[in-house]
């Protein structure tokens, strides 16, 4: 019995051991196998790569006379040529036709220039003649007008002199009569009053002369004035004079009648002389006005003759066209002498041709060359996102088609692509003799950032809903004991390249192990087991 119990107990423990082994074996099969790595303090290197084509740095255009037919193209793009090598041949027939056409055009233009020069000379002579005629007409008008004014002014002076003489004679006669009659001192005063009246009358006409002189000056300044004259009529009435004296004598009756008749004659003479002076003054004013009007008209003729002429560049343009046509004929004649062969002006590589056999040459360059005595450059393109890793002057590593490394190249310039704003065109200056024009090669530009104190392989980085996270290892107590599990930790990425991600400090500690690979999909809390590399 005791032996049976011992056997049963042994059997039980054996079964339990078997089940434990099987359970652990099954559990180990379900555990995810992983590899880990601790965060590193390191630099993050950004490498921008691409493919470029070698071009020359200095171009030269080859122009050919227009409207000539290309008989044969002798080179192709990318070909290296020496100075004097033939690039193309032009049709001899088209060259001869162009020369004849240019000769005819030159004859036509020469005739036009001659006609225009003759017309210009005639116009200049006509203009000079009109200016001379206008100036002479003005001088004659001034001379004639001045003579008329001077004559009219002389007539005014004569009429004024006659009136003054009349007043002087009348005054003398009155004084003589008074002396003979033995007038009293009161009567003598009356005679003196009459003399003063005569003087005032003359002065009134003299004032009129002054008015005429002022008007003359005003008319010479093209200013209109109204004619203002003063009447100098003075009427003598002997009867009233005697009446005013208040003294009548019996013997004065006959004398009064004689004096009245004399006074009437004097008044008529005075009025006639005054009218004559007034008429002469009006004639002077009309002469001055006529002279001013004639001079104004003659002055306008001078102004019209001296007026500026509109510019006319027809002659200059025709001369310029003639010179250009002569130069074109010289070029065509030179082509005839060379048999229509267009040659390379320098040792170079043909970049492009804009004409083919049978084409007609135009205004643009027939060919574009790269000069061989200058530096070469490579042109390629990069994405806009990589622009922050590239600066002008940076070193560039070149690898040609034979996988040979070329050093010494530098970034020359960066420009935006005309067709795609997200692309940047890169110009790389190459060392002399490194590559040939037309070759393609790989370029690589590196730029270091950092150092960063928490860098992990890029494969450890996951993303969910715009957030980045990594898995780190952790321990957990279970019925089977302490086991290793994966924990999800959200992190902030500061920088990254194709292989490494730099995390914000504090996201994870340097002592934590980051899961870099797993044989199955990881989840937060998944049991894991380390494996050897």
């Amino acid at each position: 019995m005791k032996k049976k119990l011992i056997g049963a107990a042994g059997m039980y423990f054996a079964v339990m051991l078997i089940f434990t082994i099987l359970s652990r074996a099954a559990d180990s099969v379900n555990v995810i196998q992983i590899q880990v790595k601790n965060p590193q303090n390191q630099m993050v290197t950004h490498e921008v790569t691409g493919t470029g084509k070698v071009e020359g740095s200095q171009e030269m255009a080859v122009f050919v006379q227009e409207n000539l037919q290309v008989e044969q193209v002798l080179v192709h793009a990318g070909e290296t040529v020496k100075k004097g090598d033939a690039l193309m041949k032009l049709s001899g027939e088209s060259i001869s036709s162009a020369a004849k056409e240019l000769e005819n055009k030159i004859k036509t233009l020469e005739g036009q220039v001659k006609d225009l020069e003759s017309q210009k000379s005639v116009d200049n002579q006509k203009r000079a003649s009109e200016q001379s005629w206008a100036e002479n007409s003005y001088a004659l008008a001034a001379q004639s007008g001045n003579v008329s004014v001077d004559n009219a002014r002389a007539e005014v002076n004569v009429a004024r002199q006659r009136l003054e003489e009349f007043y002087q004679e009348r005054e003398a006669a009155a004084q003589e009569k008074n002396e003979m009659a033995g007038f009293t001192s009161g009567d003598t005063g009356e005679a003196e009053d009459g003399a003063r009246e005569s003087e005032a009358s003359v002065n009134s006409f003299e004032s009129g002369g002054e008015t005429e002189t002022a008007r003359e000056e005003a008319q010479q300044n093209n200013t209109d004035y109204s004619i203002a004259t003063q009447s100098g009529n003075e009427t003598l009435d002997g009867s009233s004079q005697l009446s005013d004296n208040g003294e009548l004598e019996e013997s004065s009756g006959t004398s009064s009648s004689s004096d009245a008749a004399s006074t009437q004659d004097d008044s008529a003479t005075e009025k006639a002389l005054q009218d004559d002076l007034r008429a002469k003054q009006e004639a002077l004013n009309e002469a001055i006005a006529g002279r001013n009007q004639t001079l104004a008209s003659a002055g306008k003729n001078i102004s019209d003759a001296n007026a500026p002429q509109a510019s006319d560049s027809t002659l200059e343009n025709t001369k310029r066209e003639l010179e250009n046509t002569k130069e074109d004929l010289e070029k065509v004649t030179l082509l005839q002498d060379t048999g229509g062969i267009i040659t390379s002006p320098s040792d170079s590589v043909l970049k492009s041709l804009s004409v083919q056999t049978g084409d007609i040459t135009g205004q643009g360059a027939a060919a574009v060359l790269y000069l061989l005595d200058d530096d070469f450059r490579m042109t390629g393109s990069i994405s806009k996102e990589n622009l922050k890793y590239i600066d002008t002057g940076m070193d560039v590593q070149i690898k040609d088609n034979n996988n040979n490394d070329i050093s010494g190249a530098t970034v020359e310039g960066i420009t935006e692509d005309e067709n795609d704003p997200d692309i940047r065109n890169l110009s790389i200056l190459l060392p002399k003799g490194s590559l040939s024009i037309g070759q393609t090669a790989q370029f690589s530009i590196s730029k270091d950032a950092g150092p960063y104190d928490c860098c992990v392989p890029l494969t450890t980085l996951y993303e969910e809903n715009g957030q980045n996270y990594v898995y780190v290892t952790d321990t957990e107590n279970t019925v089977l004991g302490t086991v290793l599990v994966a924990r999800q930790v959200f992190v902030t990425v500061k920088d990254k390249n194709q292989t490494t991600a730099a995390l914000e400090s504090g996201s994870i500690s340097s002592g934590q192990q980051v899961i870099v690979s797993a044989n199955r999909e990881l989840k937060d809390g998944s049991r894991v087991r380390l494996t050897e590399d």
Side-chain angles (χ1 to χ4, degrees), residues 274-525:
Q274 290 175 348
D275 290 343
D276 183 58
L277 177 57
R278 185 178 294 107
K280 294 297 190 296
Q281 288 175 336
E282 291 297 332
L284 174 59
N285 293 337
E286 291 176 359
I288 293 173
R291 180 189 63 178
N292 292 343
Q293 184 176 2
T294 302
L295 291 180
S297 178
K300 184 177 184 302
N301 291 336
I302 292 178
S303 178
D304 292 342
N306 292 319
Q309 293 180 316
S311 61
D312 185 1
S313 58
T314 304
L315 177 58
E316 288 73 14
N317 292 338
T318 305
K319 287 182 176 180
R320 190 180 301 110
E321 185 179 2
L322 176 59
E323 292 300 322
N324 293 337
T325 305
K326 289 181 178 180
E327 292 177 1
D328 291 341
L329 180 59
E330 291 178 0
K331 295 176 183 177
V332 172
T333 303
L334 182 61
L335 286 175
Q336 287 180 318
D337 296 340
T338 60
I341 299 296
I342 305 299
T343 60
S344 173
S346 176
D347 294 346
S348 54
V349 173
L350 185 63
K351 176 185 178 182
S352 62
L353 281 167
S354 60
V355 294
Q356 297 178 354
T357 300
D359 287 349
I360 301 299
T361 58
Q363 293 182 346
V368 179
L369 308 175
Y370 285 127
L371 300 182
L372 289 178
D373 56 356
D374 208 343
D375 295 328
F376 292 170
R377 60 170 50 88
M378 174 187 290
T379 57
S381 59
I382 60 173
S383 65
K384 181 179 178 181
E385 288 74 15
N386 290 328
L387 186 61
K388 57 187 176 181
Y389 305 126
I390 299 178
D391 293 317
T392 56
M394 291 182 64
D395 292 334
V396 183
Q397 293 297 319
I398 305 294
K399 191 180 290 292
D400 64 14
N401 294 334
N402 296 323
N403 213 28
N404 296 318
D405 291 329
I406 300 173
S407 59
T410 57
V411 178
E412 182 183 33
I414 306 169
T415 58
E416 181 177 327
D417 189 86
E418 295 180 355
N419 301 319
D420 190 347
D422 293 330
I423 297 297
R424 295 294 182 269
N425 295 324
L426 199 63
S427 175
I428 301 172
L429 194 62
L430 300 174
K432 290 182 180 293
S434 57
L435 293 171
S436 301
I437 292 178
Q439 269 189 282
T440 58
Q442 303 294 321
F443 64 86
S444 173
I445 305 171
S446 299
K447 183 177 182 180
D448 291 334
Y452 300 106
D453 58 6
C454 187
C455 294
V456 297
L458 189 63
T459 55
T460 66
L461 197 63
Y462 299 88
E463 184 178 357
E464 180 180 353
N465 298 326
Q467 288 185 308
N468 295 112
Y469 62 92
V470 296
Y471 286 107
V472 297
T473 59
D474 194 11
T475 57
E476 186 178 81
N477 293 323
T478 66
V479 293
L480 298 176
T482 302
V483 295
L484 195 64
V485 296
R487 295 295 184 196
Q488 186 184 54
V489 178
F490 288 95
V491 295
T492 301
V493 179
K494 294 178 64 176
D495 197 1
K496 65 180 179 179
N497 60 11
Q498 293 86 349
T499 60
T500 306
L503 307 182
E504 189 75 38
S505 299
S507 298
I508 56 177
S509 65
S510 59
Q512 288 181 296
Q513 291 182 321
V514 181
I515 300 175
V516 297
S517 64
N519 64 344
R520 293 202 307 271
E521 181 181 0
L522 290 171
K523 292 183 180 181
D524 187 32

Side-chain angles (χ1 to χ4, degrees), residues 143-160:
Q143 182 179 2
S144 176
N146 290 337
V147 170
S148 297
V149 171
D150 291 342
N151 291 338
R153 184 177 288 109
E155 292 292 331
V156 170
N157 293 334
V158 170
R160 184 181 291 112

